[in-house]
Amino acid sequence: MTLGSRRRITGWAFFLVITIAMIYVLAIPPSVEVDVTEVTRGSIEQSLTFDGRIHYVNTTMITMPVSTVYIPERFEPGDTVEVGAKLGWYRSLILDERAESELAERESALLDGLDMAVIQQRALLIQMQQYDVDARRMARLYQRGAVSLADYERAKLQLDRVVHEHELAEKRIEQMKHEHAALRTGYASSLSRGLPITSAMGGVILSRDADAQQLLSAGAPLYRIGTLDSIEVEIDVLSTDAANLKVGMSALIDGHSDTAAVALVHRIEPSAFTKVSALGIEEQRVRVILRLRKQVRLGDGYAVSGRIILWESRNSIRLPSNALVVGDRDTSVFVVSGGTAVQRRVRLGYRSNDAVEIKGGIQEGTTVVVNPPSSLRSGTRIRR
């Protein structure tokens, strides 16, 4: 073989190697840059967010006993008063027939209300005794494993609710007795001097309606007083969401550090009402009452927001929701394995707003792709 032939063969061989190398490089798909995270174990919750308003359940309005001149004391909204505190004075001089008639009518209405309050208190006492028996029975059954923890806690919650209502009923009776005593003082008096207007209950002054000496008619509002142990949160939720709520569920109030995890679902009203949303859409909503579990200084009518815990786990395998790839028949994730993305099906549990519980398919500590691009396929090389 001549030298020229050898050179031509060498040249063609070199060209062939370069061509094969270029074909190989071009045949390999380029790597895709992705973000990754690890599957972790921790807490996850499913919740329902809400907006609502604070409502004081146990309140009373202090009013003028007769039509006459009112002389206020210097109490301001937010001040704390005791039962019997002198909130102001009135000058009746000598009671005339009209004033006497007004006082007699008010006393009759007050005594009727007191009788009804006593009847209600006695009924609640009977109910409380029955629920106490039921709660003790459920405690024994729970200890023997005959009933579930949920049934036992539901019995305790019923007892706590009736005990609280019984305490409020006793406070109302005491309040009405003080009102009656103050009314009898005015009714029996014919002296031409100032008579005190006293507080029928202890609590916080929520509002003041008359702040200067003036002539007022009988029944005119003077002060509104409430107690911090009767605070509720009124909310309304979509009827479809209300179907997932149960009495006794925990709720968190946002924006108030001293009220964290202190609310419980107390009552879910049985009927819905129609409400027009901000977008002009008619919605069926249900009113739900939350009761705070400890005394907090939140004003009557305050707007609050928070969330009701529908489900919660402290020890679940969890994954960010943006790592999921939802298909027609299943859900999967891209697992990082040896520099490539491998698609793997997963079995899901509960979902929160930003995370999902993993029931099977991958283990804790597995590295997965988050926000996978639509071009990513199983076997694609990736770079972080």
Side-chain angles (χ1 to χ4, degrees):
M1 181 180 294
T2 63
L3 179 62
S5 298
R6 287 199 299 271
R7 286 179 177 176
R8 283 195 298 274
I9 292 173
T10 301
W12 279 107
F14 178 76
F15 176 75
L16 183 60
V17 169
I18 294 298
T19 302
I20 293 173
M22 291 180 63
I23 293 174
Y24 176 77
V25 169
L26 292 176
I28 298 177
S31 61
V32 178
E33 185 175 359
V34 296
D35 296 323
V36 299
T37 189
E38 281 193 359
V39 179
T40 60
R41 184 181 293 274
S43 62
I44 185 173
E45 68 177 31
Q46 189 177 30
S47 60
L48 173 65
T49 59
F50 64 82
D51 295 309
R53 288 190 178 276
I54 296 294
H55 172 63
Y56 280 36
V57 179
N58 191 21
T59 64
T60 187
M61 180 66 75
I62 307 300
T63 60
M64 282 293 292
V66 294
S67 299
T68 187
V69 175
Y70 167 65
I71 305 170
E73 288 285 350
R74 301 312 302 171
F75 286 103
E76 301 289 342
D79 290 346
T80 301
V81 294
E82 302 293 335
V83 176
K86 293 179 174 59
L87 302 177
W89 304 80
Y90 66 96
R91 297 190 184 279
S92 183
L93 301 177
I94 297 177
L95 297 177
D96 56 18
E97 292 183 0
R98 178 180 176 185
E100 288 187 25
S101 176
E102 289 177 350
L103 283 170
E105 290 178 0
R106 287 172 61 82
E107 182 183 24
S108 177
L110 187 58
L111 289 175
D112 290 342
L114 182 58
D115 290 340
M116 292 297 296
V118 170
I119 293 173
Q120 182 185 22
Q121 185 264 349
R122 290 173 179 171
L124 286 171
L125 178 60
I126 296 173
Q127 192 176 16
M128 182 176 65
Q129 293 171 344
Q130 180 60 49
Y131 280 165
D132 182 57
V133 173
D134 293 342
R136 293 175 185 271
R137 180 174 59 84
M138 293 297 287
R140 293 193 297 269
L141 292 174
Y142 172 67
Q143 290 174 354
R144 296 200 300 264
V147 297
S148 66
L149 177 61
D151 291 335
Y152 170 51
E153 291 182 340
R154 191 175 299 112
K156 289 198 302 180
L157 184 64
Q158 286 180 333
L159 177 60
D160 292 342
R161 176 180 59 81
V162 176
V163 168
H164 183 75
E165 291 178 356
H166 181 262
E167 291 174 351
L168 291 180
E170 288 184 329
K171 289 181 180 180
R172 283 195 295 269
I173 292 173
E174 190 67 22
Q175 167 192 334
M176 296 177 78
K177 287 180 178 178
H178 280 285
E179 289 181 358
H180 182 251
L183 198 63
R184 288 301 300 172
T185 301
Y187 184 68
S189 176
S190 60
L191 301 177
S192 59
R193 62 181 175 86
L195 297 174
I197 298 174
T198 58
S199 175
M201 66 180 291
V204 177
I205 295 179
L206 303 179
S207 63
R208 183 182 65 184
D209 295 275
D211 57 0
Q213 180 173 326
Q214 54 189 297
L215 179 63
L216 296 175
S217 60
L222 302 177
Y223 291 95
R224 183 165 170 260
I225 300 175
T227 59
L228 293 176
D229 61 349
S230 63
I231 297 180
E232 293 181 344
V233 181
E234 293 183 352
I235 67 175
D236 60 75
V237 301
L238 291 171
S239 57
T240 51
D241 291 330
N244 297 321
L245 299 182
K246 294 180 181 178
V247 172
M249 283 183 169
S250 298
L252 304 177
I253 309 298
D254 297 337
H256 299 279
S257 59
D258 61 342
T259 62
V262 298
L264 292 176
V265 176
H266 175 65
R267 185 171 69 254
I268 305 169
E269 295 192 353
S271 58
F273 60 92
T274 302
K275 183 177 181 180
V276 179
S277 69
L279 299 177
I281 301 173
E282 288 190 355
E283 299 173 336
Q284 292 302 112
R285 304 190 76 88
V286 176
R287 184 168 287 105
V288 178
I289 303 299
L290 310 178
R291 177 160 290 172
L292 299 183
R293 300 181 63 183
K294 66 178 182 179
Q295 292 189 16
V296 292
R297 295 196 67 86
L298 290 174
D300 188 40
Y302 277 26
V304 294
S305 60
R307 63 189 188 277
I308 300 173
I309 309 302
L310 304 177
W311 178 89
E312 184 178 23
S313 172
R314 298 292 183 183
N315 190 32
S316 291
I317 298 177
R318 62 184 185 179
L319 183 68
S321 299
N322 57 359
L324 299 178
V325 179
V326 180
D328 294 334
R329 297 182 178 179
D330 53 38
T331 302
S332 60
V333 296
F334 282 103
V335 175
V336 178
S337 176
T340 62
V342 178
Q343 194 166 7
R344 188 176 299 172
R345 287 194 295 181
V346 291
R347 186 161 53 90
L348 306 181
Y350 286 96
R351 293 172 181 257
S352 67
N353 293 333
D354 55 0
V356 62
E357 182 187 24
I358 301 299
K359 287 292 190 178
I362 53 176
Q363 301 297 322
E364 178 184 358
T366 303
T367 302
V368 299
V369 178
V370 294
N371 297 315
S374 58
S375 59
L376 190 62
R377 296 291 183 270
S378 187
T380 300
R381 291 188 303 114
I382 58 173
R383 65 180 186 276
R384 307 179 190 180

